[in-house]
Amino acid sequence: MGKIGFIGIGVMGHAIVMNMMNHGLEVNVYNRTKSKADDLITNGAHWQETPAKIAENSEIIFTMVGFPADVEGVYFGENGIFQADITGKIVVDLTTSTPSLAEKIAKEASKLGGQALDAPVSGGDLGAKNGTLTIMVGGEQSAYDKVVPVFEAFGKTYKLHGGAGKGQHTKMANQIMIAGTMTGMTEMLVYADKAGLNLEKVIETLGGGSASNWSMNNYGPRILRADYSPGFFVKHFIKDLKIALDEADKLGLTLPSTKLAEELYSRLADEGFENDGTQALIKLWWKSN
Ligand code: NAP
């Protein structure tokens, strides 16, 4: 396998690159803030000065930045990926972004003689660290088959869901579900606390029954430790919920529970917690935290 390129060394990107290197892959890295890549470079990753340089010097190029506007910038901007010759190469966007941008990237990649996959992930910071992410992919089968050996380095479950944009649509389905588990877990804890129950015991007991879910099992204990570090940023979840609601609207659907989750998270951000992890939703009730 030729060199892998990776743009966006944040909470997720950093852990994914570490897993790629642990699987023996050679990785070129770029991030807006270089210092976040320092320890990866010490461990053998190669720094490149721009996204275009990453694309020039890598065979498969991964991106995992924050918002759709960041994705637009690293692909189409000055010194962006599409400034390089990407003939025969594959670009893979792991960012949670819009299906329409995924389609636009796939079109441009194809025009330039390359291929593109949209491949957003689920499983949180811990899934990224443990190399057990779920990867939801859209794009051509031939590109998917070539990238699977790299997915194996950081994912446990991966599937192709159709053409360009279908990975992002699958991720939106995932986020619509998460909207329910996060609000459900939060209200459950608020209620159990007020009723005078032992919250650790409640989480343990509910985890063994039909209310068990990933949000409670992973974020519940963090809330009890008053650990609101991200994890998964509130600002990114709001971005995802807005994309989901926008896509639902295009499909002629109304999703009242998802809409309510978006309103609650927006209120949390307005109160100054947009850079907390999503478990901070409980701060709308537990003001002292
Ligand atoms: P993050 O820590 O903010 O990482 C994003 C990284 O991208 C940052 O290091 C940022 O640089 C870099 N970046 C942004 N724009 C850039 C640009 N134009 N050029 C180069 N680098 C750029 O966020 P994260 O938690 O890793 O999440 C990344 C994406 O994955 C988001 O779309 C999020 O919704 C999604 N996601 C997150 C999780 C999770 O649990 N964390 C799970 C699934 C999906 P700076 O260092 O300069 O800020």
Side-chain angles (χ1 to χ4, degrees):
M1 166 96 35
K3 275 191 192 154
I4 304 300
F6 205 102
I7 298 166
I9 308 298
V11 172
M12 299 296 280
H14 187 281
I16 292 171
V17 169
M18 206 56 123
N19 278 313
M20 286 176 170
M21 295 202 297
N22 287 340
H23 273 71
L25 295 165
E26 210 174 329
V27 189
N28 290 316
V29 292
Y30 173 76
N31 191 51
R32 186 169 52 196
T33 308
K34 187 181 177 192
S35 57
K36 290 195 187 167
D38 281 350
D39 63 319
L40 294 176
I41 295 165
T42 308
N43 280 291
H46 310 283
W47 176 258
Q48 304 286 328
E49 289 300 332
T50 64
K53 289 268 179 227
I54 288 272
E56 264 166 42
N57 295 310
S58 316
E59 192 182 321
I60 302 176
I61 300 109
F62 288 84
T63 50
M64 186 150 216
V65 290
F67 297 86
D70 300 321
V71 175
E72 186 98 34
V74 297
Y75 281 91
F76 295 94
E78 204 183 329
N79 295 317
I81 291 168
F82 289 145
Q83 300 285 307
D85 179 2
I86 60 151
T87 310
K89 298 185 175 187
I90 304 173
V91 297
V92 186
D93 187 25
L94 304 175
T95 318
T96 305
S97 174
T98 64
S100 57
L101 183 52
E103 286 170 27
K104 182 177 162 186
I105 290 170
K107 252 192 208 132
E108 186 67 15
S110 160
K111 210 169 89 189
L112 297 173
Q115 287 177 297
L117 297 174
D118 47 298
V121 306
S122 177
D125 56 332
L126 287 181
K129 282 200 181 88
N130 297 333
T132 55
L133 289 171
T134 291
I135 313 169
M136 299 158 250
V137 193
E140 291 169 5
Q141 182 78 49
S142 59
Y144 176 79
D145 292 342
K146 283 185 203 144
V147 179
V148 160
V150 190
F151 287 153
E152 278 166 5
F154 64 93
K156 195 172 73 178
T157 308
Y158 29 87
K159 264 194 178 40
L160 184 64
H161 286 269
K166 294 293 194 234
Q168 296 294 355
H169 275 303
T170 309
K171 173 72 184 185
M172 286 309 123
N174 187 84
Q175 297 310 73
I176 288 164
M177 185 79 243
I178 298 284
T181 58
M182 288 304 296
T183 52
M185 169 194 56
T186 303
E187 291 191 358
M188 175 280 285
L189 284 173
V190 168
Y191 174 87
D193 184 47
K194 204 69 171 180
L197 300 174
N198 176 310
L199 298 184
E200 265 169 38
K201 266 192 187 170
V202 170
I203 288 177
E204 202 182 312
T205 304
L206 268 54
S210 55
S212 182
N213 68 85
W214 194 97
S215 296
M216 180 182 74
N217 295 333
N218 287 276
Y219 290 137
R222 291 192 201 187
I223 291 172
L224 299 198
R225 291 197 303 272
D227 173 4
Y228 298 108
S229 60
F232 180 37
F233 287 105
V234 165
K235 63 184 176 189
H236 285 158
F237 195 35
I238 294 171
K239 167 216 21 143
D240 295 359
L241 293 170
K242 284 185 191 301
I243 296 172
L245 290 167
D246 194 38
E247 292 300 323
D249 194 44
K250 287 183 195 163
L251 296 170
L253 293 171
T254 46
L255 304 177
S257 302
T258 307
K259 179 74 190 136
L260 181 59
E262 189 258 326
E263 285 166 11
L264 290 170
Y265 272 99
S266 294
R267 200 187 307 162
L268 185 66
D270 288 344
E271 290 189 17
F273 301 116
E274 65 166 11
N275 286 312
D276 276 7
T278 48
Q279 69 275 25
L281 186 61
I282 202 139
K283 289 184 180 182
L284 292 182
W285 286 267
W286 293 354
K287 298 287 179 190
S288 58
N289 282 299

